[in-house]
Structures are given as structure tokens and as C-alpha cells.
Amino acid sequence: MLTPAEADAAIAAHLVRAPDQTVPLPAGAGRVLRQEVRADRDAPPFDRVAMDGIAIASAAFRHGRREFRVAAVQPAGAPPFKLASETDCIEVMTGASLPDGCDAVVPVERIRMDGDVATLEAGHVPAPWMHVHRRASDARVGDLLLPAGTRLGGPEIAIAASAGLALLTVAQAPRIAVISTGDELIEPGLPVLDHQVRRSNSYGLGAALRLAGFPPITDLHLPDQRPVQEAALADALARHDVLVLSGGVSAGRFDHVPGALAALGVRRVFHQVSQRPGQPLWFGIGNSGTTVFALPGNPVSVLVCLSRYVIPALLAAAGVRISARRNVALAQAFEFRSPLSCFLPVALEYDQGGNTLAVAKPTRGSGDFISLAGTDGFVELPRGPALHPAGLAVPFYAW
Ligand code: AMP
Ligand code: MG
């Protein structure tokens, strides 16, 4: 049986890199950049006025001048005026190009206006380049602004826009199918009998995938019948890059998923990981390269396995530059009695020193997903049995 780290390595060794795709800039949100974004001009591209007020030559102040005649008004979006005389100023707006001959902006709050004469507030010293966002102070033309592999959030989309890009090359979104199995499962909204449960995993998996930037394109439910599963999985393998199955991978009489996948030529890379929850995790690769994660059906197991293995694999296939995983400190000692790695649901708290503490929120087994409400994710505790001490630094996985 593989350890979680060995399972990571086995998955990584079989990942298929997603191809490139060009999309309109707004559609880049949440995607993974496959090109470099470089500055096509300096940032800012001109000496940018940073406050509403007046622009002056600061030398005039040093020469003793406190009153300035307003010679012109310089709005944002207009080419810069030229200051004709040191005794003058130009009224300027935030975002305007600093008028030629000026080197400082005095904010409107620091002046008094009498007709067209602005008088500086006593004690205000306009030093050179005060309230001027200088040309190229943030980036020079040609500078690398975003490397390939960047996840595109709000700031990155703004940077790409500022570099003039209307189209972006990103990793193509994988076609993902979420496939649940089980004769006991009933769709939310439909009548349910006492011996049945609601089909909740698929909705949890779909939500988590969507929030991670990988919306599934298919949601399929299969009964615990081998021929039906084989036919449906053959079709799903042909139409998707990734299958995320839940249920039917354990040792029960009606757990047909591994057999059905094998019969369809999906090569098993591993089955079983020394972890709790999620020990029966199955991973394989289809004939035509489809990546297949078959997760054990217990609702805590599916969510843990998705965050622990599936989403990191999807990010890696997209080419994300992965930053080091965040470690958090166990808030209290936690005893785990099995010779397995333990994924322990936690709520995060912050101590006075700004350290992130993980407060254990153990579930009553892998079927108890009700206890997950209000948790932030889970930590990975090293292989037990062990009494893991308070303060132990452990990797954290968000839901
Ligand atoms: P299995 O892995 O198929 O043996 O399922 C383990 C447990 O998880 C059983 O109690 C199932 O009823 C439950 N389960 C499996 N799939 C789902 C699902 N899609 N939604 C909710 N519970 C499920
Ligand atoms: Mg089942």
C-alpha cells in the first residue's frame, strides 16, 4: 500500500499536461497562464499625478514662493501642459500627466484659493516628486510582470489588461466528469425512503471543483450494476480528460468500479493508500489518456481525497507554479491510534503572534460529513500510531 507521498509521486508521474488555449481576457479569471506577460510600456507610462491639487516647480518653493497663479487645468487623459513660469502652477487631477516643468503636487487640502491664486498652507513643504507616481517606478518596458504558470486572479487580470492584452493563452480546462455510484442514492428534491440516502457527494465534489477553477462538465449517476457501469464508463472515458468517481471501490460485493474500469482498459496505477479517511482510493489512466480518480464513497473520504489529490493534480496538469504548502500548528495534542496517515478536519484560528492554529474537529468516522460544517479544511498528520503534540507543524489543505 502506498503512502500519501508515494501516491502523490505516482499521480505526478502519470499526469498529462493540459494543452494551451487562447481566451478573451475576462475569461482568463481563475485560469492558469501559459504565456509570459511583459510590460509593453513603462508603469506608470508617464509621471502620474497622484493627488488632486496643483502642480508646481518645487524650486520655486525653495526660492521662497508660497503663492502661485493657476495658469491652466490639467485633466487626466490629456497631453501634459508646460509650466511657463515658476510663479505659476497648474491645477491637476489624479491620473493626469504631470505638466512639463513641474516636479511636485500640492494636494488641494494643503492650499487656499483666492480667485486664480493658490496659497500654500503654512508649514507644508512640497519636496521634489511629492505626490508624483514616477514613470517606470513600478516596471520598465520589457519587464516580466507575470510568469507562465501564474493563476489568474483579480490583480493578475488587471496586470494583463494594463499590458494591453485582449487575449490570453491559458491552460485548456480539462473536461471533467463527476460520476457517483450506488443504488441507495436519491437525488435531492425527490422523495426518499427510510433505507435510502441523498446523493450528496456529487454536489460537494462539483462545488469544490468549481471553486478550485475546474468546473465539471458532466454529472452522472450509476447504479451498482457492472454492465451498466461498463457501458456508461466507456462513454465517459471517450468524452472526458478526467473522471472523478465516488463509491464502489471498496471490497463489498457490489463494488464494481475497479473491475469495470479494468475491463475498459483503464490501467490501475494504485489502489489503496495508507491513510484515513480514504484508504480505498483508486487511481488509473485510460487507453486514450483519461485520468481516473475513483474515490471511496464515504462523504468525508471523497472531500478529503479531492482536496488532497485531485485538485493538486489538476493544478499541476494545468502547469501552476505551486508555492510551498502552508503549514499550521496543531492547537491541541491529538492522538491517532492507527498505523496510517491521518487527515484531520480542522478549523483555523489565529493566535496573538499571528500564527495559524489548527483546532481539531474530528468527525465520527468517514460517514459523518455533518461535522464538517464550519471547518476550513484538514491537516495531514504523519503516520501513526502517535500522540501528535500541540504546536506540531503540519501541512494544511483547504476544502
Ligand atoms: P461505497 O464506497 O460505495 O461503499 O460507499 C460508502 C458509503 O458512502 C455508503 O454509505 C454510501 O451510501 C455513501 N455514499 C456513496 N456515494 C455517495 C454519494 N454520492 N452521496 C452520498 N453518500 C454516498
Ligand atoms: Mg456504494
Side-chain angles (χ1 to χ4, degrees), residues 41-75:
R41 55 211 291 246
D42 292 339
F46 48 84
D47 286 329
R48 187 181 74 95
V49 169
M51 299 281 279
D52 298 321
I54 56 168
I56 62 168
S58 66
F61 176 86
R62 289 191 295 283
H63 299 151
R65 176 158 293 276
R66 299 294 179 268
E67 294 180 359
F68 300 86
R69 187 185 70 90
V70 178
V73 178
Q74 174 79 63

Side-chain angles (χ1 to χ4, degrees), residues 180-181 184-185 197-201 246-248 250 255 296-299:
S180 57
T181 66
E184 72 280 30
L185 301 170
V197 293
R198 296 214 167 84
R199 193 173 78 100
S200 55
N201 283 352
S246 71
S250 304
D255 289 337
N298 266 310

